[in-house]
Amino acid sequence: MESRQALYQVIPPVKPVYKPKRVTRLAVVDFAGFEEFQAGRRLVEKIKTRLEPHDCVVVVDLARYADIPGKGVLTPAQAAELARKLGVDAVITGSISVYNIDRFSGRHVPYVFEVPQTKVQVELRYRVLSFQAPGRIETFTQQVGGQGRVRDQVRLLPPDKHDITVSASSREVEAAQEEALDDLAARILTSMAAKFTWMPPDFLP
């Protein structure tokens, strides 16, 4: 005899196939702020990579065009002019306001133990200007954040002050930065998918 739970399993709902009526052309301007880390460019590349498998959204390569603003924060008028010149349906622009790298954020109990950890916190304020409807601009502004962490093994005794392994290596710090930017890119696309019908629903939580 089968148990009731085995006989009456709930059938999960079938996820509908997303069939957009048109392809949306999207321009993503390199975000301003923390240019020494190339944060804006790296974040844009991560957004492009995540959108690339979806045929309903095409990210226009701004590097192929001259005499257009390819980075920084654009005003609505500048974004509208960019959309007109390139024939895009939406423009994303914004500024990274926080890019914090804490190489000693782990828990520390003096003379007992410590948990070395590197934490990267990134925050972005961005604006999406959609020109889908003729003669009408739909604007969406959002503040989002992402974070990355790299943890090391617990140290039971205080390390020697000359021990270079106490703090994270440059490779570990870079990995934490990449994780934070990946997290931020995912959150951007999630918030956009909740707002715009032309975004693929795959990005919804």
Side-chain angles (χ1 to χ4, degrees):
M1 294 291 290
E2 292 284 346
S3 66
R4 172 177 287 186
Q5 185 176 2
L7 292 175
Y8 299 101
Q9 292 183 351
V10 178
I11 300 176
V14 179
K15 188 176 182 179
V17 179
Y18 180 58
K19 295 181 179 180
K21 296 181 180 180
R22 56 171 294 182
V23 176
T24 299
R25 287 170 53 83
L26 178 65
V28 187
V29 181
D30 284 0
F31 301 110
F34 298 93
E35 284 77 8
E36 65 272 24
F37 296 106
Q38 299 183 340
R41 180 189 60 79
R42 292 162 65 190
L43 181 56
V44 170
E45 288 301 320
K46 291 181 180 298
I47 293 175
K48 289 181 179 179
T49 300
R50 289 174 179 268
L51 287 174
E52 189 174 2
H54 301 276
D55 296 333
C56 58
V57 179
V58 175
V59 180
V60 177
D61 185 7
L62 300 183
R64 298 176 56 187
Y65 300 90
D67 300 327
I68 61 169
K71 59 182 178 180
V73 181
L74 304 188
T75 64
Q78 290 174 323
E81 180 66 13
L82 176 65
R84 185 190 63 80
K85 287 183 176 180
L86 303 186
V88 298
D89 303 297
V91 176
I92 302 178
T93 180
S95 176
I96 297 176
S97 57
V98 175
Y99 199 103
N100 183 46
I101 302 175
D102 187 354
R103 303 182 69 169
F104 304 98
S105 66
R107 188 177 179 184
H108 177 73
V109 178
Y111 305 105
V112 180
F113 75 92
E114 67 177 0
V115 184
Q117 174 182 266
T118 297
K119 180 180 178 181
V120 178
Q121 185 73 28
V122 185
E123 292 184 11
L124 169 76
R125 183 173 181 81
Y126 75 98
R127 175 183 294 169
V128 182
L129 299 103
S130 178
F131 306 92
Q132 295 277 353
R136 178 172 173 267
I137 302 177
E138 185 179 4
T139 304
F140 174 64
T141 303
Q142 187 79 0
Q143 178 89 21
V144 289
Q147 63 179 7
R149 286 190 177 92
V150 173
R151 295 183 176 90
D152 204 342
Q153 297 180 352
V154 177
R155 300 176 184 269
L156 298 179
L157 296 175
D160 184 79
K161 62 181 180 179
H162 299 295
D163 186 358
I164 63 174
T165 66
V166 172
S167 61
S169 64
S170 59
R171 181 175 298 180
E172 291 172 331
V173 173
E174 181 67 23
Q177 294 181 62
E178 292 297 325
E179 182 181 340
L181 291 173
D182 281 328
D183 185 34
L184 182 57
R187 292 175 184 272
I188 292 171
L189 295 176
T190 296
S191 62
M192 289 178 57
K195 173 64 178 180
F196 298 104
T197 57
W198 45 264
M199 281 290 293
D202 306 60
F203 295 109
L204 292 172

